[in-house]
Structures are given as C-alpha cells and as structure tokens.
Amino acid sequence: MTKFVLLMITGSCWASFCCTMTWRYLLDTKHHSGYRWSVCDHCGHRLNAWQLIPVFGYLGQLGHCRYCNTVIDYWWPLCELTTGILWAISVQNSISVLAMTICVSSACLVISTQDYFDHCFQPIWLLAWSLMLVHNHWPRNLLIDGVQIAILIAGYYSQHIGHGDLDALIVLTIVLGSYQSTVIILAACLLTLICPVLYRHQPVPFMPFLSLALLCFLVFPACSWLIC
C-alpha cells in the first residue's frame, strides 16, 4: 500500500513537471511567460506553493485562478491524476516494466501536451517508444507488419489525418507489431468518442488518447501478454 501511494504521488508530481516544462519550453514561441516561477497564464500573478500541488491545487481553486477567476484548463489535473494512477498500478509489474512505463509515459506526456494545445508535436520524442522492443513478442509476422506500415504511409497523402499521428502509428507498428498496435489504435479511437471536440466538428488531438491506450496496455497485468 505504501509503494502504491508513493508511486501515485511521484507520478502526479512528475506529470506536473513534464507538462509544465513542455508548456514553458517546447511551446515557447506561442506561450512564453517570461518568468522563472509559475504564474497564471492570464494575469501573470505568481502562484503560491499550495496552488502547485498536483490535482489538489486545482481542486482548491475550484478550477479557477484565485486572482483573476480565469478558468484553469482541466488538462493539467487530468494528466497528473492519470499518470499517478498508472504509475501506482505499475507497482504490480516487474522493475523492468515499471522503468519502461516511466520512460514511455514521460515521452507520452510531452507529446500529448504539445498535441493538445498546438495539434502538432516533435516526432523525436517517439524514440522513447523503442524501449518497448525489449518486451515485445518475437517472432512476428513481418509481412503483415510491412503491409500495415505501407497503408499508414499512404495516409500521408490524405488531408484528414495529421502527419504526426501517422508518425506515431508507424512507430507503434514497428515497435509492437501489427496485432498489438492495431488493438491499441482501436482502443484509442474508442476513447476519442468521449471527446466533446469531436462533436463540434473540430480537429481532435489524437495523441492523448493513443498515449492513454498505450500506457494502459503497458501497465495493467491482465494485458501484459500483449507486450511480453
């Protein structure tokens, strides 16, 4: 129980750090705050220490900045809570799977935050997914994998699929194979159905849902047969 709580707290704090650093430095050209400390993006007021506590800081302010009453995006507490829970559940897995989950989830946080706010991300972060090769099941049907990759490459000629999303799907297929990647992609597509943006006919950031589906398959012991 102690390990569960510690991993949940650590995961939440790490998610807060990753998302904040992504906002400050990787989205710098559009959202640069110019401060060394955390401030409200709307009014620029310096935040107190208790306001930076993952999840509870958001709840304590009732989802609004206490200085200017601007609504705080739910992305931050959602990432903190989800990452904390997934890390805590990972305590049931081996040390190697736990370490892999931490590395992959960190890259997913960066990628998903970029995609959520700007609908694009830096593909170099997908290299962290290569760590899953260690736990992949061999031998694989390379012919089917090649066909799936070819189909995904053909998607670059479509205007309805983001090139970054296709990069991620191709890397996922290379790393996990056609069967495992297809299951994860289908799960991610089902998760997008809960996104309100979808029903407003606006672009949907797909990477947060793909990352969540991927991490669930890495974390939950019942699904470990997919990657071991």
Side-chain angles (χ1 to χ4, degrees), residues 110-143:
V110 175
I111 292 170
S112 298
T113 301
Q114 287 183 292
D115 193 38
Y116 177 78
F117 288 106
D118 276 359
H119 294 285
C120 64
F121 63 91
Q122 298 169 335
I124 191 171
W125 293 97
L126 294 173
L127 292 176
W129 290 8
S130 62
L131 295 173
M132 293 183 289
L133 282 169
V134 178
H135 295 272
N136 194 20
H137 176 71
W138 293 91
R140 285 165 35 180
N141 192 322
L142 298 181
L143 177 59

Short mmCIF file of all heavy atoms in Angstrom, two decimals, residues 110-143:
data_model
loop_
_atom_site.label_atom_id
_atom_site.label_comp_id
_atom_site.label_asym_id
_atom_site.label_seq_id
_atom_site.Cartn_x
_atom_site.Cartn_y
_atom_site.Cartn_z
N VAL A 110 4.84 14.61 -22.84
CA VAL A 110 5.36 15.71 -23.66
C VAL A 110 4.62 15.78 -24.99
O VAL A 110 4.16 16.84 -25.42
CB VAL A 110 6.88 15.53 -23.90
CG1 VAL A 110 7.40 16.61 -24.84
CG2 VAL A 110 7.64 15.59 -22.58
N ILE A 111 4.51 14.62 -25.65
CA ILE A 111 3.85 14.56 -26.96
C ILE A 111 2.38 14.97 -26.85
O ILE A 111 1.88 15.76 -27.66
CB ILE A 111 3.96 13.13 -27.53
CG1 ILE A 111 5.41 12.81 -27.89
CG2 ILE A 111 3.06 12.96 -28.75
CD1 ILE A 111 5.64 11.35 -28.24
N SER A 112 1.70 14.44 -25.85
CA SER A 112 0.26 14.70 -25.72
C SER A 112 -0.02 16.16 -25.38
O SER A 112 -0.99 16.75 -25.87
CB SER A 112 -0.33 13.79 -24.63
OG SER A 112 -0.19 12.43 -24.97
N THR A 113 0.83 16.75 -24.54
CA THR A 113 0.64 18.16 -24.19
C THR A 113 0.82 19.05 -25.42
O THR A 113 0.05 19.99 -25.65
CB THR A 113 1.63 18.58 -23.09
OG1 THR A 113 1.43 17.76 -21.93
CG2 THR A 113 1.44 20.05 -22.71
N GLN A 114 1.84 18.76 -26.22
CA GLN A 114 2.04 19.52 -27.45
C GLN A 114 0.85 19.36 -28.39
O GLN A 114 0.36 20.35 -28.96
CB GLN A 114 3.32 19.05 -28.15
CG GLN A 114 4.61 19.49 -27.48
CD GLN A 114 5.82 19.06 -28.27
OE1 GLN A 114 6.12 17.87 -28.37
NE2 GLN A 114 6.51 20.02 -28.84
N ASP A 115 0.38 18.13 -28.54
CA ASP A 115 -0.72 17.87 -29.47
C ASP A 115 -2.02 18.49 -28.97
O ASP A 115 -2.82 19.00 -29.76
CB ASP A 115 -0.89 16.36 -29.66
CG ASP A 115 -1.80 16.02 -30.83
OD1 ASP A 115 -1.72 16.72 -31.86
OD2 ASP A 115 -2.57 15.06 -30.72
N TYR A 116 -2.23 18.47 -27.66
CA TYR A 116 -3.47 19.01 -27.10
C TYR A 116 -3.59 20.51 -27.34
O TYR A 116 -4.65 21.00 -27.71
CB TYR A 116 -3.52 18.71 -25.60
CG TYR A 116 -4.72 19.30 -24.91
CD1 TYR A 116 -5.97 18.70 -25.01
CD2 TYR A 116 -4.61 20.47 -24.15
CE1 TYR A 116 -7.08 19.24 -24.38
CE2 TYR A 116 -5.71 21.01 -23.52
CZ TYR A 116 -6.94 20.40 -23.63
OH TYR A 116 -8.04 20.95 -23.01
N PHE A 117 -2.49 21.23 -27.14
CA PHE A 117 -2.55 22.69 -27.25
C PHE A 117 -2.27 23.21 -28.67
O PHE A 117 -2.84 24.21 -29.07
CB PHE A 117 -1.55 23.32 -26.28
CG PHE A 117 -1.97 23.23 -24.84
CD1 PHE A 117 -1.34 22.34 -23.97
CD2 PHE A 117 -3.00 24.01 -24.35
CE1 PHE A 117 -1.73 22.25 -22.64
CE2 PHE A 117 -3.40 23.92 -23.03
CZ PHE A 117 -2.77 23.04 -22.18
N ASP A 118 -1.39 22.53 -29.41
CA ASP A 118 -0.99 23.05 -30.71
C ASP A 118 -1.31 22.14 -31.89
O ASP A 118 -1.01 22.47 -33.03
CB ASP A 118 0.52 23.34 -30.72
CG ASP A 118 0.84 24.70 -30.14
OD1 ASP A 118 -0.11 25.41 -29.76
OD2 ASP A 118 2.02 25.07 -30.06
N HIS A 119 -1.86 20.95 -31.61
CA HIS A 119 -2.21 19.99 -32.66
C HIS A 119 -0.99 19.59 -33.50
O HIS A 119 -1.11 19.34 -34.70
CB HIS A 119 -3.31 20.55 -33.57
CG HIS A 119 -4.62 20.73 -32.86
ND1 HIS A 119 -5.44 19.68 -32.52
CD2 HIS A 119 -5.24 21.85 -32.40
CE1 HIS A 119 -6.52 20.14 -31.90
NE2 HIS A 119 -6.41 21.45 -31.79
N CYS A 120 0.16 19.57 -32.88
CA CYS A 120 1.39 19.07 -33.52
C CYS A 120 2.38 18.75 -32.40
O CYS A 120 2.21 19.20 -31.27
CB CYS A 120 1.96 20.08 -34.50
SG CYS A 120 2.50 21.62 -33.75
N PHE A 121 3.39 17.96 -32.72
CA PHE A 121 4.40 17.63 -31.72
C PHE A 121 5.69 17.28 -32.43
O PHE A 121 5.73 17.08 -33.64
CB PHE A 121 3.94 16.47 -30.83
CG PHE A 121 3.71 15.17 -31.58
CD1 PHE A 121 4.73 14.25 -31.73
CD2 PHE A 121 2.46 14.88 -32.12
CE1 PHE A 121 4.52 13.06 -32.42
CE2 PHE A 121 2.24 13.70 -32.81
CZ PHE A 121 3.27 12.79 -32.96
N GLN A 122 6.77 17.20 -31.65
CA GLN A 122 8.08 16.88 -32.19
C GLN A 122 8.26 15.37 -32.21
O GLN A 122 8.30 14.73 -31.17
CB GLN A 122 9.17 17.54 -31.33
CG GLN A 122 9.10 19.06 -31.32
CD GLN A 122 10.01 19.68 -30.27
OE1 GLN A 122 10.35 19.04 -29.28
NE2 GLN A 122 10.39 20.92 -30.49
N PRO A 123 8.37 14.78 -33.41
CA PRO A 123 8.44 13.30 -33.53
C PRO A 123 9.62 12.67 -32.81
O PRO A 123 9.59 11.46 -32.55
CB PRO A 123 8.54 13.09 -35.05
CG PRO A 123 7.99 14.34 -35.66
CD PRO A 123 8.36 15.44 -34.72
N ILE A 124 10.65 13.44 -32.49
CA ILE A 124 11.83 12.86 -31.86
C ILE A 124 11.48 12.19 -30.52
O ILE A 124 12.14 11.23 -30.10
CB ILE A 124 12.92 13.94 -31.65
CG1 ILE A 124 14.23 13.27 -31.25
CG2 ILE A 124 12.48 14.97 -30.62
CD1 ILE A 124 15.41 14.22 -31.22
N TRP A 125 10.41 12.65 -29.88
CA TRP A 125 10.02 12.05 -28.60
C TRP A 125 9.49 10.63 -28.77
O TRP A 125 9.41 9.86 -27.81
CB TRP A 125 8.99 12.93 -27.91
CG TRP A 125 9.55 14.24 -27.48
CD1 TRP A 125 9.46 15.44 -28.15
CD2 TRP A 125 10.30 14.51 -26.30
NE1 TRP A 125 10.11 16.43 -27.47
CE2 TRP A 125 10.64 15.89 -26.32
CE3 TRP A 125 10.72 13.73 -25.23
CZ2 TRP A 125 11.38 16.47 -25.30
CZ3 TRP A 125 11.46 14.32 -24.22
CH2 TRP A 125 11.78 15.68 -24.26
N LEU A 126 9.13 10.28 -29.99
CA LEU A 126 8.65 8.91 -30.25
C LEU A 126 9.76 7.88 -30.10
O LEU A 126 9.49 6.68 -30.00
CB LEU A 126 8.06 8.83 -31.66
CG LEU A 126 6.78 9.64 -31.90
CD1 LEU A 126 6.40 9.60 -33.39
CD2 LEU A 126 5.63 9.12 -31.06
N LEU A 127 11.01 8.33 -30.11
CA LEU A 127 12.13 7.39 -29.96
C LEU A 127 12.07 6.67 -28.62
O LEU A 127 12.58 5.55 -28.50
CB LEU A 127 13.46 8.15 -30.09
CG LEU A 127 13.80 8.72 -31.47
CD1 LEU A 127 15.10 9.52 -31.42
CD2 LEU A 127 13.91 7.61 -32.50
N ALA A 128 11.46 7.29 -27.63
CA ALA A 128 11.34 6.65 -26.31
C ALA A 128 10.50 5.38 -26.39
O ALA A 128 10.65 4.47 -25.57
CB ALA A 128 10.75 7.63 -25.30
N TRP A 129 9.62 5.31 -27.38
CA TRP A 129 8.78 4.12 -27.53
C TRP A 129 9.59 2.89 -27.92
O TRP A 129 9.13 1.77 -27.77
CB TRP A 129 7.68 4.37 -28.57
CG TRP A 129 6.64 5.34 -28.12
CD1 TRP A 129 6.66 6.11 -26.97
CD2 TRP A 129 5.41 5.66 -28.77
NE1 TRP A 129 5.53 6.88 -26.90
CE2 TRP A 129 4.74 6.63 -27.98
CE3 TRP A 129 4.82 5.23 -29.97
CZ2 TRP A 129 3.51 7.16 -28.34
CZ3 TRP A 129 3.59 5.76 -30.32
CH2 TRP A 129 2.94 6.72 -29.52
N SER A 130 10.79 3.11 -28.44
CA SER A 130 11.63 1.97 -28.84
C SER A 130 12.01 1.10 -27.65
O SER A 130 12.42 -0.05 -27.82
CB SER A 130 12.90 2.47 -29.55
OG SER A 130 13.68 3.28 -28.68
N LEU A 131 11.88 1.63 -26.44
CA LEU A 131 12.17 0.84 -25.24
C LEU A 131 11.25 -0.37 -25.12
O LEU A 131 11.60 -1.37 -24.49
CB LEU A 131 12.03 1.71 -23.99
CG LEU A 131 13.04 2.87 -23.84
CD1 LEU A 131 12.67 3.73 -22.65
CD2 LEU A 131 14.45 2.33 -23.70
N MET A 132 10.09 -0.28 -25.75
CA MET A 132 9.13 -1.39 -25.68
C MET A 132 9.58 -2.58 -26.50
O MET A 132 9.01 -3.67 -26.38
CB MET A 132 7.75 -0.91 -26.15
CG MET A 132 7.11 0.10 -25.23
SD MET A 132 5.43 0.59 -25.73
CE MET A 132 5.78 1.56 -27.21
N LEU A 133 10.59 -2.41 -27.34
CA LEU A 133 11.13 -3.53 -28.12
C LEU A 133 11.67 -4.63 -27.21
O LEU A 133 11.65 -5.81 -27.57
CB LEU A 133 12.24 -3.04 -29.05
CG LEU A 133 11.81 -2.32 -30.32
CD1 LEU A 133 13.01 -1.67 -31.00
CD2 LEU A 133 11.12 -3.29 -31.28
N VAL A 134 12.14 -4.24 -26.04
CA VAL A 134 12.72 -5.21 -25.10
C VAL A 134 11.67 -6.21 -24.64
O VAL A 134 11.95 -7.38 -24.41
CB VAL A 134 13.32 -4.48 -23.88
CG1 VAL A 134 13.88 -5.47 -22.88
CG2 VAL A 134 14.39 -3.49 -24.34
N HIS A 135 10.41 -5.75 -24.55
CA HIS A 135 9.35 -6.61 -24.04
C HIS A 135 8.42 -7.09 -25.14
O HIS A 135 7.34 -7.61 -24.86
CB HIS A 135 8.53 -5.84 -22.98
CG HIS A 135 9.33 -5.50 -21.77
ND1 HIS A 135 9.45 -6.34 -20.68
CD2 HIS A 135 10.08 -4.42 -21.47
CE1 HIS A 135 10.21 -5.79 -19.77
NE2 HIS A 135 10.60 -4.62 -20.21
N ASN A 136 8.82 -6.93 -26.38
CA ASN A 136 7.96 -7.33 -27.48
C ASN A 136 8.04 -8.84 -27.71
O ASN A 136 9.04 -9.48 -27.37
CB ASN A 136 8.36 -6.59 -28.75
CG ASN A 136 7.30 -6.71 -29.83
OD1 ASN A 136 6.15 -7.02 -29.55
ND2 ASN A 136 7.69 -6.49 -31.06
N HIS A 137 6.99 -9.38 -28.27
CA HIS A 137 6.93 -10.82 -28.53
C HIS A 137 7.50 -11.14 -29.91
O HIS A 137 7.09 -10.58 -30.91
CB HIS A 137 5.47 -11.30 -28.46
CG HIS A 137 5.32 -12.76 -28.80
ND1 HIS A 137 5.77 -13.76 -27.97
CD2 HIS A 137 4.79 -13.37 -29.90
CE1 HIS A 137 5.50 -14.93 -28.53
NE2 HIS A 137 4.91 -14.73 -29.70
N TRP A 138 8.48 -12.01 -29.94
CA TRP A 138 9.06 -12.49 -31.21
C TRP A 138 8.89 -14.00 -31.30
O TRP A 138 8.83 -14.68 -30.29
CB TRP A 138 10.55 -12.12 -31.26
CG TRP A 138 10.79 -10.65 -31.34
CD1 TRP A 138 10.96 -9.78 -30.30
CD2 TRP A 138 10.89 -9.86 -32.52
NE1 TRP A 138 11.15 -8.51 -30.75
CE2 TRP A 138 11.12 -8.52 -32.11
CE3 TRP A 138 10.79 -10.15 -33.89
CZ2 TRP A 138 11.26 -7.48 -33.02
CZ3 TRP A 138 10.95 -9.11 -34.79
CH2 TRP A 138 11.18 -7.80 -34.36
N PRO A 139 8.81 -14.61 -32.50
CA PRO A 139 8.87 -13.93 -33.81
C PRO A 139 7.57 -13.23 -34.16
O PRO A 139 6.52 -13.52 -33.59
CB PRO A 139 9.13 -15.09 -34.77
CG PRO A 139 8.48 -16.25 -34.10
CD PRO A 139 8.66 -16.05 -32.62
N ARG A 140 7.65 -12.28 -35.13
CA ARG A 140 6.49 -11.54 -35.60
C ARG A 140 6.28 -11.80 -37.07
O ARG A 140 7.19 -12.23 -37.77
CB ARG A 140 6.71 -10.03 -35.37
CG ARG A 140 6.54 -9.61 -33.94
CD ARG A 140 7.09 -8.24 -33.63
NE ARG A 140 6.93 -7.28 -34.71
CZ ARG A 140 7.35 -6.02 -34.63
NH1 ARG A 140 7.93 -5.60 -33.51
NH2 ARG A 140 7.22 -5.18 -35.63
N ASN A 141 5.06 -11.52 -37.52
CA ASN A 141 4.76 -11.66 -38.94
C ASN A 141 5.18 -10.36 -39.63
O ASN A 141 4.41 -9.39 -39.68
CB ASN A 141 3.27 -11.93 -39.14
CG ASN A 141 2.97 -12.38 -40.56
OD1 ASN A 141 3.55 -11.89 -41.52
ND2 ASN A 141 2.04 -13.34 -40.69
N LEU A 142 6.39 -10.35 -40.14
CA LEU A 142 6.94 -9.13 -40.73
C LEU A 142 6.20 -8.72 -41.99
O LEU A 142 6.17 -7.53 -42.34
CB LEU A 142 8.43 -9.33 -41.03
CG LEU A 142 9.31 -9.61 -39.80
CD1 LEU A 142 10.77 -9.76 -40.23
CD2 LEU A 142 9.18 -8.49 -38.77
N LEU A 143 5.60 -9.69 -42.68
CA LEU A 143 4.85 -9.37 -43.90
C LEU A 143 3.63 -8.52 -43.56
O LEU A 143 3.37 -7.48 -44.20
CB LEU A 143 4.43 -10.64 -44.62
CG LEU A 143 3.57 -10.45 -45.89
CD1 LEU A 143 4.32 -9.61 -46.91
CD2 LEU A 143 3.16 -11.79 -46.47
#
